[in-house]
Amino acid sequence: MSEPKILPTKKEKKPKSKDNNQMIGKKRNLTNDENDSDNEKILNKQLDKKLEKELAEMEERNKKFIEQCESHPMKFIPPENPEIHPDTKALKFEIVATFHKARAGILTLPHGQVLTPVYMPVGTKGAMKGLLSADLERMGCKLMLSNTYHLGFEPGGEFLRKNYGGEENRSVHNYMHWKHNLLTDSGGFQVASLVKLSERSEEGVNFISHITGDDTHLMLSPEMSMKIQNDLGSDIIMALDDVISPFSKGGAVFDACERSLRWIDRCIKAHNRKDEQNLYGIVQGGINVELRRQACIEWSKRNLPGYAIGGMSGGESKQEFCDTVSICAEYLPQNKPRYLMGIGYPVDLVVCALLGVDQFDCVFATRTARFGTALTEYGFLKLKSEKNKFDFGPIDENCKCEICKKYSRSYLYFLINNNPRAAEMISFHNVFYLLTLMSRIREAIVNGKVNEFIEDFINKQYKNSKEGVPDFVVNTLTKAGCDMSFVKGREDRNAE
């Protein structure tokens, strides 16, 4: 399999580079430098016009493709001959304790053991915003994420393999100085998030680079996603899936679900390191519970090392979200790890862990930190608020992270508006908080103390909420086997 092709615009020469995988294209946005020549400025305008025309053509083709997808019958028609993944020695999943649907497990991967349920921090481009690999190491993190689409564009999978791979070809580990486990997303999420820069087809997704000044293309097919991830050497690799809104018209959700199945079969065939890297399939199906049930059954036939629940947090209600996760956890294999993609709110993590999910990821912890918001056991803390000016206590008095041990809310309040260090410090705390939260729920499952944990957690999270505990939390946790009678008593006391 060749490296991603650079497709230059018409009559434009390919960039001079010894390694095309670096994808260094002609620059569209060179005018930031005051010394740019007039020729460069003219070139920028020409490239901008070409890009504008190309994007308009892509948009028109996308509209026709979507119309075709919407005309799909409202019926699930899976492939007749599923591709079967062979058993692998690169992953072992042991369930050590349960509470109804919830599991506490040990996930053994090529770079060591991971205790589940687990939150996985996200370093999209091989680095987290505001945090170093060494920071995660000190927090006790054993599994984190990077993204195939972003690393595939820059610096490129082949570039990383050639220059950082080493004897074991663990290139992205070496690249970011990370000695523990790593999961790479397939690039499927960018199908939805970069819809204006991409064109979907049965073959895959043709992307125009999102990087300012870069007009190169990447045809991300299932085969190319596997090629890049094989080059990256991550411990868990994700299958390319067709991600669309759960509210898409007509039969589009059925069409995307079937395409994702066809793509997982192509991924299994193209995956060349089955004994070293673990391929997870991503179940789609929107919020159609029956479609999700059928999809889980079909995905399970592939005998994959693990399974992910994708396509969530797309604007559905919280109850629809929980019902969808619940049906997937019920019908995916009981002896394989389950990964809920893109979920990072503390309450959502706890609720879904009790539905039987083992792995979670989200950029929320660091993104909200950049806006000055910290995660605490009493909910979200907005450190920009004036009330923190004279608050000399830590972000969270029960948190054991380095930031809470040393710095006050007052310190962060004064720092946050004029010093980027504040966002880094809050990011450290937030990631630590979510890692610790998952450790606490795991400990509760192991020790048979889930109801005690839930009562303490929910009472604190919603202590200052005027609306009280949301119905979706009570309904879902009740179905998960939790005693939620304390909520009525809590509300009665608040009414008094």
Side-chain angles (χ1 to χ4, degrees):
M1 180 66 64
S2 61
E3 194 60 20
K5 294 181 179 179
I6 303 175
L7 305 179
T9 54
K10 293 180 180 179
K11 297 182 181 180
E12 181 187 334
K13 294 181 180 180
K14 290 186 179 182
K16 294 181 180 180
S17 173
K18 292 182 179 179
D19 183 1
N20 278 350
N21 186 255
Q22 296 179 54
M23 293 194 172
I24 303 172
K26 294 281 187 179
K27 301 301 178 182
R28 292 195 303 269
N29 198 20
L30 299 174
T31 54
N32 291 331
D33 187 341
E34 295 179 358
N35 296 320
D36 281 349
S37 68
D38 290 338
N39 288 334
E40 287 174 330
K41 293 176 182 178
I42 292 171
L43 177 61
N44 290 334
K45 292 179 181 179
Q46 291 174 343
L47 289 175
D48 283 341
K49 287 182 179 179
K50 288 182 179 180
L51 177 68
E52 185 178 347
K53 180 181 178 181
E54 187 172 5
L55 289 176
E57 292 172 350
M58 287 176 64
E59 183 178 9
E60 191 61 33
R61 290 194 295 268
N62 269 330
K63 285 181 180 179
K64 293 180 180 179
F65 182 75
I66 291 171
E67 289 174 0
Q68 178 184 340
C69 296
E70 291 173 350
S71 67
H72 187 283
M74 303 281 283
K75 182 180 180 181
F76 182 51
I77 309 171
E80 293 184 359
N81 300 307
E83 194 74 22
I84 309 300
H85 192 289
D87 292 336
T88 179
K89 297 179 181 179
L91 181 148
K92 178 183 177 183
F93 183 58
E94 178 186 2
I95 298 173
V96 298
T98 60
F99 175 83
H100 297 279
K101 296 181 179 182
R103 309 106 68 86
I106 301 174
L107 179 61
T108 304
L109 297 166
H111 285 82
Q113 291 186 340
V114 180
L115 303 183
T116 63
V118 62
Y119 165 71
M120 304 176 291
V122 182
T124 301
K125 301 177 184 179
M128 294 191 69
K129 289 187 177 180
L131 296 175
L132 299 171
S133 298
D135 294 326
L136 295 180
E137 177 104 27
R138 294 201 306 278
M139 294 183 204
C141 176
K142 303 297 183 184
L143 175 59
M144 68 171 297
L145 266 72
S146 282
N147 181 272
T148 296
Y149 164 86
H150 288 283
L151 291 172
F153 257 117
E154 190 178 61
E158 188 172 329
F159 176 90
L160 289 171
R161 178 179 59 79
K162 288 180 178 178
N163 296 286
Y164 290 91
E167 293 182 1
E168 296 182 357
N169 191 16
R170 297 293 181 178
S171 57
V172 73
H173 292 80
N174 298 331
Y175 178 61
M176 59 191 297
H177 293 278
W178 178 246
K179 66 180 182 180
H180 301 293
N181 294 293
L182 193 72
L183 181 154
T184 45
D185 190 7
S186 63
F189 177 73
Q190 280 69 39
V191 177
S193 66
L194 297 177
V195 65
K196 292 184 178 180
L197 292 174
S198 62
E199 180 181 356
R200 294 163 58 218
S201 68
E202 184 64 29
E203 175 62 22
V205 187
N206 181 25
F207 288 98
I208 295 178
S209 175
H210 67 286
I211 302 169
T212 301
D214 187 353
D215 65 342
T216 53
H217 289 232
L218 170 62
M219 169 49 81
L220 192 64
S221 63
E223 292 79 11
M224 183 54 67
S225 180
M226 291 297 97
K227 169 65 170 63
I228 295 172
Q229 292 186 83
N230 285 163
D231 282 342
L232 295 177
S234 43
D235 302 271
I236 297 174
I237 65 177
M238 304 303 299
L240 185 66
D241 55 334
D242 192 359
V243 183
I244 64 171
S245 167
F247 303 106
S248 298
K249 297 178 183 178
V253 173
F254 290 84
D255 180 79
C257 186
E258 292 175 15
R259 182 171 297 103
S260 295
L261 263 176
R262 293 193 292 272
W263 283 2
I264 181 61
D265 287 341
R266 288 166 60 186
C267 285
I268 294 172
K269 290 179 181 178
H271 179 22
N272 289 325
R273 301 181 65 184
K274 293 183 176 70
D275 291 332
E276 303 167 88
Q277 295 176 288
N278 300 287
L279 174 62
Y280 280 28
I282 306 174
V283 176
Q284 293 293 335
I287 54 174
N288 184 319
V289 173
E290 177 57 23
L291 176 57
R292 285 279 183 169
R293 184 189 70 82
Q294 294 180 49
C296 288
I297 292 172
E298 287 299 320
W299 255 269
S300 299
K301 292 178 181 178
R302 273 72 183 168
N303 190 41
L304 295 160
Y307 296 86
I309 303 168
M312 305 304 300
S313 289
E316 70 278 0
S317 72
K318 284 290 190 178
Q319 192 61 63
E320 289 171 327
F321 163 78
C322 290
D323 291 344
T324 304
V325 173
S326 180
I327 199 73
C328 289
E330 181 178 351
Y331 280 92
L332 286 173
Q334 296 299 307
N335 63 335
K336 301 290 181 73
R338 307 168 187 148
Y339 163 28
L340 179 57
M341 306 183 77
I343 305 303
Y345 277 47
V347 171
D348 293 347
L349 293 177
V350 169
V351 169
C352 292
L354 289 171
L355 289 175
V357 176
D358 308 297
Q359 298 171 241
F360 305 88
D361 83 285
C362 193
V363 298
F364 176 70
T366 49
R367 178 173 292 167
T368 197
R370 295 193 291 276
F371 289 95
T373 300
L375 310 180
T376 79
E377 62 179 354
Y378 291 98
F380 301 146
L381 173 66
K382 298 185 182 300
L383 286 159
K384 291 183 178 181
S385 173
E386 185 78 14
K387 66 181 182 180
N388 294 303
K389 184 174 182 179
F390 294 101
D391 190 334
F392 304 106
I395 293 175
D396 189 327
E397 62 182 7
N398 290 320
C399 179
K400 305 299 182 184
C401 80
E402 297 174 9
I403 308 305
C404 288
K405 287 180 179 179
K406 298 177 181 178
Y407 301 99
S408 68
R409 296 182 180 186
S410 175
Y411 176 78
L412 291 165
Y413 167 81
F414 284 107
L415 209 65
I416 202 161
N417 288 321
N418 54 26
N419 194 320
R421 181 67 67 184
E424 297 173 7
M425 295 168 72
I426 302 168
S427 293
F428 189 105
H429 163 81
N430 284 354
V431 172
F432 184 92
Y433 172 83
L434 293 182
L435 290 170
T436 303
L437 178 62
M438 290 293 93
S439 294
R440 289 174 58 205
I441 186 65
R442 185 183 192 278
E443 183 180 0
I445 296 170
V446 170
N447 295 331
K449 300 288 185 180
V450 171
N451 283 320
E452 292 85 344
F453 168 83
I454 287 297
E455 182 171 354
D456 178 70
F457 174 77
I458 295 297
N459 278 334
K460 288 179 177 177
Q461 279 289 307
Y462 294 99
K463 180 180 180 179
N464 301 316
S465 172
K466 295 179 181 179
E467 293 78 18
V469 183
D471 288 342
F472 85 89
V473 173
V474 178
N475 295 338
T476 306
L477 288 179
T478 299
K479 292 179 182 178
C482 297
D483 179 4
M484 300 300 291
S485 60
F486 70 88
V487 174
K488 186 178 187 305
R490 176 182 184 274
E491 293 175 348
D492 290 343
R493 290 192 298 274
N494 289 343
E496 295 174 1

